[in-house]
Amino acid sequence: MPSIKNLEMAAAVSNHPHVAVKSAFFGLSTKAEYKPTHSAIRAIQQDYSADNGDLLRSLITSRSDQLAAFVSKHPHIDHVGMGPVRLEACLSDDNQFAALQLFSYSDFEYRPVTEARFFEGADAEIINSLLK
């Protein structure tokens, strides 16, 4: 599991008003917390095929009222060991917060495909159910 400080979207997550990021042990360890519920936030990075990357782009750019329908249509999106699309996500342990950003591999590096998107409350629960 990657550290939040090593994510490409680390600055966006750190600047979110409901997230507190704290360094510990002389800066070697970083912990993030969703402030409203004091829940720990963990970071994940998963690679996907190009087709599943398109699905994730649709998810990230969907309106809030479309999220439940999207997840009922696509209850699980399979990730691969190495793929051309990378998802960075930060998920709270209580499922009340999620942050997602999608990247595509091009010219020997991952480049952003979407902006970081934040979900809270019921929307975050939907996102968490899909990624766990």
Side-chain angles (χ1 to χ4, degrees), residues 7-17 19 97 99 101 115-118:
L7 298 177
E8 292 291 325
M9 68 177 201
V13 173
S14 296
N15 290 328
H16 190 278
V19 174
F97 176 83
Q101 188 169 10
E115 296 291 322
R117 175 144 182 223
F118 300 95

Side-chain angles (χ1 to χ4, degrees), residues 76-119:
H76 184 72
I77 300 175
D78 292 324
H79 57 91
V80 296
M82 269 181 86
V85 177
R86 174 168 287 166
L87 175 71
E88 289 187 352
C90 293
L91 308 171
S92 68
D93 288 343
D94 67 355
N95 299 328
Q96 294 300 302
F97 176 83
L100 305 177
Q101 188 169 10
L102 200 61
F103 298 85
S104 178
Y105 193 75
S106 175
D107 296 330
F108 303 105
E109 66 182 6
Y110 283 98
R111 299 175 187 265
V113 174
T114 64
E115 296 291 322
R117 175 144 182 223
F118 300 95
F119 303 88

Side-chain angles (χ1 to χ4, degrees), residues 24-128:
F25 197 64
F26 305 106
L28 297 175
S29 174
T30 304
K31 295 188 185 227
E33 177 184 276
Y34 181 55
K35 289 194 261 186
T37 61
H38 303 288
S39 180
I41 296 174
R42 63 185 173 83
I44 62 171
Q45 283 183 331
Q46 295 176 335
D47 288 352
Y48 292 87
S49 67
D51 290 340
N52 285 344
D54 290 339
L55 284 175
L56 288 167
R57 183 182 316 179
S58 295
L59 171 69
I60 293 171
T61 58
S62 292
R63 294 189 327 256
S64 290
D65 61 340
Q66 298 172 325
L67 291 175
F70 180 93
V71 173
S72 67
K73 187 175 179 182
H74 308 282
H76 184 72
I77 300 175
D78 292 324
H79 57 91
V80 296
M82 269 181 86
V85 177
R86 174 168 287 166
L87 175 71
E88 289 187 352
C90 293
L91 308 171
S92 68
D93 288 343
D94 67 355
N95 299 328
Q96 294 300 302
F97 176 83
L100 305 177
Q101 188 169 10
L102 200 61
F103 298 85
S104 178
Y105 193 75
S106 175
D107 296 330
F108 303 105
E109 66 182 6
Y110 283 98
R111 299 175 187 265
V113 174
T114 64
E115 296 291 322
R117 175 144 182 223
F118 300 95
F119 303 88
E120 296 185 62
D123 291 346
E125 290 177 8
I126 293 169
I127 297 299
N128 276 282

